[in-house]
């Protein structure tokens, strides 16, 4: 993949929303907000502080109505994603931006919002492991990988995957050296104290507890995804 | 290390400040805000939104004056740390909280604020690699490790090290299983696309570029640290 000329300015924007998982957004922000010759926008319906799932409040820079055309649209996830799955203002924003953006980048269950906006048909994609089974219902080819690039759709898996994906995206846009510079600045040389970050690696009791806690939202997401599939499958 | 009884409620708080590096705070927030039976506070001098180095604005929950006694004090870093090195309101807040906190947890150059507050004398500690040489000037034993635990002082290295350190801290407080549950929720099974996250691993030109960009702040930090050492070394 060839990178862009460095004199091409990039508008990078993130949809932020109530009950997002802040790390889906803040992890990528760390790298994407430092792309040379770029401007970053946090975007929501209005300019009031947006509380994440654990009530960290982030102030949007601009609104869905006022946001410029973006080159990169970042769509994070979190439990609040589910409340937006029928929100035409949000879905049409994603759709409209995606039509002219260079890349749409979903992190975690942000992929489900992209799915509801119709962006995943025939695309390889990933999401949080609890929601992986919803992807085919949006017409996607589910890939249990940490970062998936398919044309102009880039997706990262659960939460912290967004850091890896953002470095992949920076490398695509500005080259490997720029991505490595950001990695070194961020001291991203991870050493997790445990090896429990993937369902196949976690102890069974840990997997069972975490799956159980997510059961309600997982079922709601599946129901919504099935309704999308049924709507799209309906003849005429 | 034995964990606390699970019915012991924990107040967890983070000092946030202008031009902090948001990831020093938001990475740990992801795990620490999910510690069972705990309350999380973001803390600054007033309640206006606090802009990070790249102008992400986070709203504090409470003020330095109103914050409760914390069990865990998180001190992030970033270029804005340097402006606080003579700020008695901030340093005495850190000192006062540290006197009764169970743990003080510095991330990145937050360690330098802890150093200025006098918390590092004789302690093993780590910080961002660009600032490692300042640690001995604060009386610390500099350790080029990702996470260092010395008594009630826990420190993590640069930026993303804060994620690793927060899982170490959760394990100390609530046990390995709780930490593993959070790791699985966060899908923290990192796969950096490059191997450039530590000065010894990065290509020489990448190291040279990133060091060069940090030269001014690095020199300022060294000068400040030397002034602290001179003051503390003065007889009487």
């Amino acid at each position: 993949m060839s990178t862009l000329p460095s004199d091409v300015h990039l508008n990078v924007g993130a949809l932020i929303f109530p009950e997002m998982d802040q790390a889906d957004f803040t992890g990528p922000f760390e790298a994407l907000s430092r792309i040379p010759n770029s401007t970053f926008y946090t975007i929501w319906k209005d300019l009031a502080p947006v509380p994440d799932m654990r009530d960290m409040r982030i102030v949007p820079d601009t609104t869905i109505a006022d946001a410029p055309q973006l080159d990169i649209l970042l769509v994070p996830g979190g439990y609040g994603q589910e409340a937006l799955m029928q929100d035409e203002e949000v879905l049409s924003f994603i759709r409209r931006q995606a039509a002219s953006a260079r890349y749409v980048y979903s992190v975690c269950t942000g992929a489900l919002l992209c799915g509801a906006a119709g962006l995943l048909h025939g695309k390889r994609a990933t999401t949080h492991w609890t929601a992986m089974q919803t992807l085919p219902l949006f017409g996607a080819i589910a890939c249990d990988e940490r970062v998936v690039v398919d044309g102009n759709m880039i997706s990262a898996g659960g939460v912290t995957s967004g850091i890896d994906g953002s470095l992949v995206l920076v490398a695509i846009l500005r080259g490997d050296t720029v991505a490595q510079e950001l990695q070194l600045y961020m001291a991203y040389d991870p050493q997790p104290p445990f090896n429990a970050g993937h369902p196949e690696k976690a102890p069974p009791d840990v997997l069972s507890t975490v799956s159980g806690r997510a059961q309600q939202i997982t079922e709601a997401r599946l129901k919504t995804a099935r309704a999308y599939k049924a709507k799209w499958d309906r003849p005429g």
Side-chain angles (χ1 to χ4, degrees), chain A:
Chain A
M1 242 162 311
S2 65
T3 59
L4 294 169
S6 58
D7 63 352
V8 174
H9 179 269
L10 296 170
N11 281 331
V12 187
L15 180 75
I16 63 175
F17 54 85
E19 292 200 64
M20 68 176 173
D21 188 318
Q22 61 84 22
D24 296 2
F25 157 65
T26 57
F29 177 90
E30 189 69 5
L32 301 184
S33 70
R34 288 174 169 84
I35 293 175
N37 195 13
S38 72
T39 308
F40 198 105
Y41 301 88
T42 49
I43 305 164
W44 179 232
K45 292 181 180 182
D46 56 54
L47 297 176
V50 174
D52 104 309
M53 284 172 67
R54 298 301 300 158
D55 210 28
M56 179 194 298
R57 287 170 298 153
I58 300 176
V59 184
D61 298 318
T62 186
T63 62
I64 283 180
D66 291 339
Q69 173 62 48
L70 302 170
D71 296 287
I72 314 295
L73 170 63
L74 166 64
V75 183
Y79 283 22
Q81 146 273 328
E82 188 57 22
L84 304 181
M85 293 293 278
Q86 315 289 345
D87 187 320
E88 198 44 45
E89 184 181 358
V90 168
L91 298 183
S92 71
F93 169 74
I94 295 174
R95 221 176 275 124
R96 193 170 70 243
Q97 287 286 350
S100 299
R102 294 173 190 272
Y103 292 95
V104 175
Y105 175 32
S106 70
V107 176
C108 197
T109 50
L112 282 52
L113 286 169
C114 294
L119 303 186
L120 297 187
H121 291 286
K123 295 272 189 184
R124 298 173 65 252
T126 187
T127 186
H128 194 275
W129 54 272
T130 54
M132 197 66 74
Q133 57 192 323
T134 65
L135 290 182
L137 299 165
F138 295 111
I141 302 143
C143 300
D144 181 15
E145 294 169 24
R146 200 150 168 89
V147 182
V148 174
V149 181
D150 188 342
N152 69 346
M153 183 73 217
I154 300 179
S155 53
V159 193
T160 55
S161 316
I163 303 171
D164 298 326
S166 67
L167 292 174
V168 169
L169 178 53
V170 169
I172 289 171
L173 293 166
R174 295 295 194 212
D176 291 2
T177 300
V178 171
Q180 288 171 324
E181 288 166 7
L182 289 175
Q183 184 184 4
L184 180 57
Y185 167 77
M186 291 160 61
Y188 189 47
D189 182 31
Q191 294 171 30
F194 304 100
N195 186 17
H198 186 280
E200 286 170 12
K201 296 177 179 174
D205 58 325
V206 167
L207 176 57
S208 162
T209 301
V210 179
S211 303
R213 273 184 206 141
Q215 189 179 348
Q216 196 177 347
I217 185 82
T218 301
E219 285 172 3
R221 284 166 170 158
L222 258 177
K223 189 176 166 192
T224 302
R226 285 196 192 107
Y228 267 97
K229 179 169 164 51
K231 189 173 80 172
W232 288 334
D233 283 352
R234 212 170 292 148

